[in-house]
Amino acid sequence: MKLRCWLLAGFIGLGLTTPAHAWGQEDRNNYNNKMALLGVLLEGAKERAQDHGDIETLCLLLGIGADVTANYVNTAPNNQQINQRLVAMNNDLNMCISMLQKTALKP
């Protein structure tokens, strides 16, 4: 369980630190600022998930990050980098939800 959280955290960290390149400067700055803030929140959520089993908060923040990225994909649908980032973020979110469901089923 802890290993999965760390792997998930690694994928998230890689996805959030790569700058976006295809939009106007203002759009890119807004996106990067939002993702930087989410990155800080995710760090705390990763620690809580590992130390206290709080997977719900981690999944919530992953969902917010995927939603923010999806909004920017709608603005620049031809940006392959951001499209790939969104796919990876959705995969991370699905993995998190799967882990959440498994923990909910434990007696």
Side-chain angles (χ1 to χ4, degrees):
M1 179 71 161
K2 288 183 181 181
L3 178 61
R4 285 186 183 170
C5 286
W6 282 109
L7 289 174
L8 182 65
F11 291 126
I12 295 166
L14 289 174
L16 293 179
T17 57
T18 308
H21 294 291
W23 309 307
Q25 188 65 36
E26 184 176 334
D27 289 336
R28 182 171 56 196
N29 287 340
N30 287 336
Y31 176 77
N32 288 339
N33 288 340
K34 289 175 185 178
M35 296 311 285
L37 177 59
L38 278 170
V40 170
L41 295 172
L42 278 168
E43 285 297 317
K46 288 185 286 189
E47 288 179 23
R48 287 189 54 84
Q50 181 183 6
D51 297 341
H52 305 289
D54 183 10
I55 300 172
E56 294 92 349
T57 303
L58 181 61
C59 291
L60 175 67
L61 291 172
L62 287 171
I64 292 170
D67 192 46
V68 168
T69 302
N71 285 334
Y72 281 99
V73 165
N74 289 335
T75 324
N78 295 327
N79 186 320
Q80 290 301 318
Q81 179 185 11
I82 301 303
N83 280 309
Q84 291 171 351
R85 184 182 298 171
L86 180 58
V87 168
M89 292 173 91
N90 284 328
N91 289 340
D92 290 343
L93 178 58
N94 289 333
M95 184 188 315
C96 187
I97 291 171
S98 174
M99 289 180 353
L100 184 60
Q101 289 172 341
K102 288 179 185 176
T103 60
L105 296 176
K106 289 183 181 179

